[in-house]
Amino acid sequence: MTRERAAVLIAALAAGLILTACGSSEDDDVSAEFTGDGCVYSGPTEFAVGDEFEITVVDVTEERMDVGFAVNKVRDGTSVDAIRAEGISDLVTEGHGTFLWSEVTEEGTERVMSTTLDVEGTWVVQCFVFGTGNPNGEGFPATAFEVVD
């Protein structure tokens, strides 16, 4: 192999490594953790219509609880504070979103859910728990985010 070919090969490999490093970012990771008294979201707060929203959800409590997770379209402009005050039932836009049924898991169990963000507007990520005395369960909104056209 000539020196010129070796230099071209090294440059191509270096460029590939740089593109690979730049192509995936931990900032793009989306997750939610149920902490026992809340739900903590990590990830972007704006997406485009048509994006596939995939989120890793984790129950990080030591106590075994019947925990589920949801991603739902809500009335535009809805805030986490409004959901805490009013509950989510009257704010959800039917037919958009997904949820993971509640289940009792071991501490640190990771589950993944995904949905296509098919309409613009405000969406919410929420943890919910059954067995708290409330027949509808108890919701813990983590974040509201916007889907834009």
Side-chain angles (χ1 to χ4, degrees):
M1 181 180 291
T2 66
R3 285 185 191 213
E4 287 123 16
R5 281 191 171 184
V8 168
L9 181 60
I10 290 170
L13 288 172
L17 288 173
I18 290 169
L19 289 174
T20 300
C22 294
S24 64
S25 166
E26 288 186 24
D27 292 342
D28 292 340
D29 291 344
V30 180
S31 65
E33 293 182 344
F34 176 66
T35 61
D37 61 356
C39 193
V40 179
Y41 172 83
S42 177
T45 55
E46 187 174 290
F47 297 87
V49 170
D51 279 356
E52 186 67 23
F53 181 85
E54 183 174 282
I55 183 169
T56 301
V57 293
V58 184
D59 175 359
V60 296
T61 62
E62 290 179 12
E63 183 180 347
R64 298 302 69 201
M65 301 173 107
D66 197 1
V67 180
F69 300 88
V71 177
N72 296 102
K73 169 73 176 82
V74 293
R75 249 187 280 153
D76 288 349
T78 299
S79 68
V80 168
D81 289 338
I83 294 168
R84 286 185 184 126
E86 300 173 39
I88 196 163
S89 297
D90 294 333
L91 301 171
V92 170
T93 303
E94 294 296 324
H96 303 284
T98 191
F99 61 92
L100 285 174
W101 285 106
S102 60
E103 67 179 56
V104 178
T105 59
E106 295 299 315
E107 178 182 3
T109 299
E110 290 187 6
R111 298 160 66 193
V112 176
M113 67 178 172
S114 65
T115 190
T116 300
L117 302 173
D118 57 348
V119 294
E120 66 182 318
T122 306
W123 291 65
V124 68
V125 174
Q126 173 168 286
C127 305
F128 57 92
V129 180
F130 287 100
T132 62
N134 181 341
N136 296 322
E138 186 173 357
F140 299 92
T143 193
F145 63 87
E146 294 299 316
V147 175
V148 296
D149 197 18

